[in-house]
Amino acid sequence: MELFTRVDTSAADFRIDYTSRIAFFGSCFADNISAQFSARKFNVLANPFGTVYNPVSIAGQIRAIADGKVFGEGDVFQDARTEQDARGPWHSWDAHSSLSAATREECISKLNAAADSARTFLQQADTAFITLGTSFVYFLKDGRVVANCHRQNPALFERRMITVEEAARALREIERDLQKIRTDIRIVFTVSPLRHMADGAHNNTLSKATLQLAVNEIVKRGFGTAVIPATYFPSYEIVMDELRDYRFYDSDMVHLSKTAEEYIFERMVDTYCNEKTRGNIARVEKFMKMAGHRIVDMGSPAAENFLQKIHSEASVLESQIPGLDLKLP
């Protein structure tokens, strides 16, 4: 008896293993899934400019990386929420507040460091997952796209849902710029299953549908001139059809539970990893569980023996699994 509709995720025509370098850009769902890979010691880059939800802003961030942009004074601004406080932090409209800083110079430095490290990583990356959260975009009154409003005065912005054509154009730019950095990088688009209920249920549905139609333009119709065509992973469909029960959600009934995140990770592993890599993941998971065991008395002989065992087993795993770096002290 089948008790739910299973979403088909047939094996991809390329493989991810421990020698792979995997980049994630997009919404908090990208942060969550990249953390699943990172916890199993894959080589991961996750949102170098911080979490970003809409395709136009993702495209802008990747364009800056691909073009070798050097951020300067025109790319940052000082917080204007308290007019009498000249010590407000500095932000960038193009980045998350995690790259904000107390001074203009520090903020610019953080932006350039993020761009440089991301460019270096992507030059050797095998796969980039692009997670699209919403088709609602904030614009400054001069038309500039905003990745993060930094809680500034709402009067500064116009917010609207972009069209399918605008979203598809952004995805084509993402595809073009990533393959400008590395020609043979594999690009996988996915739509975040996390609902943006602040927009209302209907607008959330329209927003997600816009993203789905835009991805379809790229993936199904060969939109653009990509060296290797982009593909799609059905994260959204897996949650909507397989994990539709609220027990798979966090307490806010919007974000996913850890169980749901791990389930989607397992489906990605089934899609992008062969049997040998899946076995290696299980070995790493077992090791990390053992290594995470709490030691009460670090000075005891038992603790010393346990640490020696951990380092010994780590050396064995690293010698047997190409590309694995457990990064033990």
Side-chain angles (χ1 to χ4, degrees):
M1 180 183 294
E2 292 290 339
L3 298 179
F4 64 87
T5 304
R6 185 174 176 85
V7 176
D8 179 42
T9 53
S10 55
D13 62 358
F14 65 96
R15 287 290 177 263
I16 289 172
D17 59 27
Y18 277 99
T19 66
S20 302
R21 296 166 68 89
I22 317 165
F24 293 83
F25 289 88
S27 70
C28 54
F29 183 70
D31 294 324
N32 297 339
I33 297 303
S34 66
Q36 294 286 336
F37 279 91
S38 183
R40 291 154 178 92
K41 299 303 178 180
F42 281 86
N43 197 347
V44 168
L45 168 73
N47 279 333
F49 291 108
T51 309
V52 60
Y53 294 91
N54 74 79
V56 182
S57 292
I58 297 172
Q61 292 181 353
I62 293 174
R63 184 186 314 117
I65 296 169
D67 291 347
K69 176 175 178 174
V70 177
F71 290 88
E73 293 186 3
D75 298 299
V76 299
F77 68 94
Q78 192 168 27
D79 198 304
R81 282 177 290 173
T82 54
E83 294 180 1
Q84 297 179 348
D85 186 359
R87 297 171 297 174
W90 288 79
H91 309 290
S92 169
W93 296 123
D94 301 316
H96 186 264
S97 58
S98 57
L99 278 78
S100 298
T103 68
R104 174 195 296 159
E105 293 74 20
E106 184 183 0
C107 184
I108 293 171
S109 177
K110 290 173 75 172
L111 291 167
N112 284 318
D116 290 343
S117 62
R119 190 177 307 110
T120 298
F121 186 97
L122 288 169
Q123 286 169 347
Q124 301 179 58
D126 303 274
T127 307
F129 287 94
I130 310 299
T131 302
L132 309 171
T134 182
S135 57
F136 280 99
V137 180
Y138 281 89
F139 298 85
L140 291 171
K141 291 299 176 68
D142 64 4
R144 181 175 174 179
V145 174
V146 173
N148 195 300
C149 293
H150 300 289
R151 300 182 180 180
Q152 300 302 295
N153 188 340
L156 295 173
F157 311 104
E158 174 194 356
R159 182 175 183 267
R160 67 175 176 85
M161 187 189 301
I162 58 175
T163 66
V164 173
E165 291 74 18
E166 288 174 306
R169 187 182 310 121
L171 301 189
R172 181 178 58 183
E173 291 172 0
I174 290 170
E175 188 178 57
R176 178 200 66 203
D177 287 330
L178 282 172
Q179 293 185 344
K180 182 191 296 184
I181 300 170
R182 178 163 181 173
T183 305
D184 58 351
I185 192 172
R186 300 281 186 164
I187 301 167
V188 181
F189 290 111
T190 190
V191 174
S192 169
L194 277 65
R195 295 163 297 155
H196 290 240
M197 296 307 290
D199 297 318
H202 182 57
N203 279 333
N204 174 73
T205 299
L206 293 175
S207 173
K208 299 292 187 183
T210 297
L211 298 174
Q212 294 280 10
L213 289 168
V215 171
N216 187 67
E217 287 286 334
I218 303 300
V219 173
K220 298 298 183 183
R221 301 184 185 181
F223 200 61
T225 57
V227 177
I228 301 175
T231 56
Y232 177 72
F233 181 79
S235 302
Y236 182 85
E237 291 80 359
I238 289 171
V239 171
M240 295 299 107
D241 285 303
E242 296 188 27
L243 308 181
R244 62 177 68 182
D245 193 289
Y246 273 108
R247 64 197 170 99
F248 294 112
Y249 287 82
D250 208 343
S251 58
D252 63 2
M253 297 297 136
V254 173
H255 290 84
L256 300 181
S257 67
K258 291 298 181 184
T259 299
E261 291 171 4
E262 289 174 0
Y263 181 78
I264 295 172
F265 169 76
E266 290 173 3
R267 296 297 301 276
M268 295 182 81
V269 167
D270 289 342
T271 302
Y272 299 108
C273 301
N274 62 22
E275 183 177 355
K276 182 178 180 181
T277 302
R278 292 195 292 270
N280 287 336
I281 291 172
R283 294 176 67 191
V284 172
E285 288 175 335
K286 182 178 179 181
F287 171 82
M288 295 306 297
K289 184 176 181 180
M290 178 181 67
H293 181 76
R294 182 171 175 266
I295 300 175
V296 178
D297 183 4
M298 288 296 296
S300 68
E304 183 178 348
N305 290 336
F306 178 72
L307 291 174
Q308 289 178 351
K309 180 182 178 182
I310 291 294
H311 281 83
S312 176
E313 294 200 17
S315 296
V316 170
L317 280 177
E318 290 175 340
S319 68
Q320 294 179 348
I321 302 176
L324 177 65
D325 183 0
L326 294 169
K327 296 181 173 64
L328 293 183

